[in-house]
């Protein structure tokens, strides 16, 4: 009852229009981002979309920091990409479930509070290092299959179009905030560049050409793997890294939002929520994820 009364009291101080517009903007921006991270991990785009839905919803309801956005992230994608290539998507789902259990354990043991001891320089290094890894993973998008089936670098007009669209997107994201902040730069970039491609009928590859993104509600699915000690030996190292990286990124984001808003989030509660979200998304065909610094800002 007290929880309900607190929610009612908080609702008096909420600008509903701002909340709705913010939610819509983040939702639209999450779609291409979730798909991109799934492709980086070598998975179907649907695994990223399923993760964005379930993780975003669960952490919003049960998390310890209002204003934080969670979903499929590049930090998780670069960890699981080698496992996806060597053992397939079913092992990814099992890994995410185990990682969720580890994260919930960390939250129950109240280990989340130690994130406040991490220096800012470490946070900047973590985010910049992640950006470099994601950049290197994107280079594969500049390759196409040749006549022999091997991947070769794009050449000629195909390369020029690709570079032009990428640069235009980056310029909009960088330059628009200097003019106005009414429209989120990332959302504007997605809409403007997509409109140019469709309006001018530019021949370029889109997400639908890479893999189908048609789907419905995330289906419940128990990972189809042998439940043996050998399987545990395979997935545990990845699960431990996914849990650690996910918690670090999530709690660093929480710490950053705390400083910006001059309020205090609950790190241990957030750790449990992140674990719960990954545990659930592993059973609903999601690739796993964590808090997203860019979206939260």
């Amino acid at each position: 009852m007290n929880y309900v009364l607190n929610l009612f009291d908080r609702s008096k101080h909420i600008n509903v229009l701002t909340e709705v517009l913010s939610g819509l903007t983040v939702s639209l921006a999450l779609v291409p981002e979730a798909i991109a991270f799934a492709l980086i991990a070598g998975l179907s785009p649907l695994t990223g979309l399923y993760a964005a839905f379930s993780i975003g919803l669960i952490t919003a309801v049960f998390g310890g920091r209002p204003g934080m956005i969670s979903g499929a992230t590049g930090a998780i994608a670069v960890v699981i990409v080698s496992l996806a290539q060597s053992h397939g998507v079913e092992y990814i789902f099992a890994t995410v479930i185990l990682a969720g259990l580890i994260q919930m354990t960390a939250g129950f043991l109240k280990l989340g509070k130690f994130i406040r001891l991490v220096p800012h320089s470490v946070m900047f290094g973590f985010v910049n290092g992640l950006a470099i890894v994601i950049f290197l993973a994107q280079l594969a998008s500049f390759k196409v299959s040749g006549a022999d089936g091997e991947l070769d670098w794009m050449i000629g007009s195909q390369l020029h179009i690709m570079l032009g669209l990428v640069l235009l997107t980056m310029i909009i994201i960088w330059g628009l905030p200097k003019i106005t902040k009414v429209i989120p730069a990332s959302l504007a970039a997605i809409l403007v560049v997509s409109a140019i491609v469709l309006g001018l009928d530019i021949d370029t590859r889109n997400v639908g050409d890479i893999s189908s993104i048609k789907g419905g509600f995330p289906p419940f699915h128990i990972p189809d793997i042998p439940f043996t000690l050998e399987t545990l030996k395979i997935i545990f190292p990845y699960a431990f890294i996914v849990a650690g990286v996910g918690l670090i990124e999530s709690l660093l984001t929480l710490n950053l939002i705390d400083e910006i808003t001059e309020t205090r989030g609950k790190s241990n509660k957030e750790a449990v929520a992140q674990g719960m979200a990954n545990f659930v998304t592993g059973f609903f065909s999601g690739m796993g994820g964590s808090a997203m610094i860019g979206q939260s800002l």
Side-chain angles (χ1 to χ4, degrees):
M1 178 62 70
N2 288 336
Y3 179 74
V4 174
L5 291 175
N6 287 336
L7 287 178
F8 180 76
D9 184 62
R10 283 174 53 197
S11 67
K12 299 177 182 178
H13 308 287
I14 292 176
N15 186 320
V16 176
L17 180 61
T18 299
E19 298 291 335
V20 171
L21 291 178
S22 298
L24 287 173
T25 301
V26 170
S27 298
L28 291 173
L30 266 177
V31 172
E33 196 165 7
I35 293 172
F37 289 142
L39 294 177
I40 288 175
L43 303 173
S44 165
L46 282 176
T47 62
L49 292 174
Y50 288 157
F53 169 75
S54 55
I55 293 176
L57 179 61
I58 292 172
T59 55
V61 175
F62 299 103
R65 170 71 268 179
M68 269 179 57
I69 306 299
S70 296
T73 54
I76 304 302
V78 297
V79 171
I80 62 177
V81 60
S82 60
L83 179 62
Q85 293 172 348
S86 62
H87 289 82
V89 69
E90 297 295 330
Y91 279 77
I92 297 300
F93 298 149
T95 298
V96 171
I97 292 170
L98 181 56
L101 291 173
I102 295 172
Q103 289 177 326
M104 283 191 285
T105 301
F108 289 136
L109 294 177
K110 301 188 182 303
L111 300 180
K113 60 185 178 182
F114 292 109
I115 197 65
R116 300 191 185 279
L117 302 178
V118 176
H120 268 201
S121 56
V122 174
M123 179 172 66
F124 296 146
F126 178 83
V127 176
N128 288 327
L130 176 60
I132 294 172
V133 173
I134 293 175
F135 169 77
L136 294 175
Q138 291 295 321
L139 294 179
S141 298
F142 290 84
K143 294 182 179 181
V144 292
S145 297
D148 56 357
E150 297 292 327
L151 289 177
D152 300 315
W153 292 103
M154 292 179 175
I155 57 174
S157 61
Q158 190 177 30
L159 176 61
H160 298 154
I161 291 173
M162 183 74 162
L163 288 174
L165 294 175
V166 170
L167 289 174
L168 176 59
T169 304
M170 295 172 66
I171 289 172
I172 293 174
I173 292 174
W174 171 78
L176 186 61
K178 300 179 183 299
I179 301 173
T180 178
K181 293 185 179 180
V182 174
I183 303 175
S186 298
L187 180 61
I190 293 169
L191 296 177
V192 169
V193 177
S194 296
I196 291 174
V197 172
L198 294 174
L200 299 180
D201 195 22
I202 299 175
D203 183 19
T204 185
R205 201 165 54 150
N206 56 41
V207 174
D209 297 327
I210 300 172
S211 180
S212 173
I213 58 173
K214 294 181 180 178
F217 190 85
F220 179 79
H221 171 71
I222 297 176
D224 185 15
I225 60 172
F227 292 91
T228 63
L229 183 60
E230 185 64 29
T231 300
L232 182 61
K233 290 180 180 178
I234 294 172
I235 67 173
F236 182 78
Y238 289 96
F240 185 79
I241 296 173
V242 167
V245 170
L247 280 182
I248 290 172
E249 184 169 21
S250 298
L251 296 181
L252 284 177
T253 302
L254 181 144
N255 204 27
L256 183 63
I257 302 300
D258 280 358
E259 294 181 6
I260 293 174
T261 60
E262 297 182 349
T263 58
R264 178 63 66 88
K266 299 177 181 179
S267 55
N268 293 314
K269 185 178 180 182
E270 183 64 33
V272 173
Q274 291 288 336
M276 187 188 309
N278 278 305
F279 179 80
V280 171
T281 198
F283 282 111
F284 283 88
S285 305
M287 61 172 280
S290 60
M292 312 176 81
I293 291 180
Q295 297 287 359
S296 298
L297 289 176

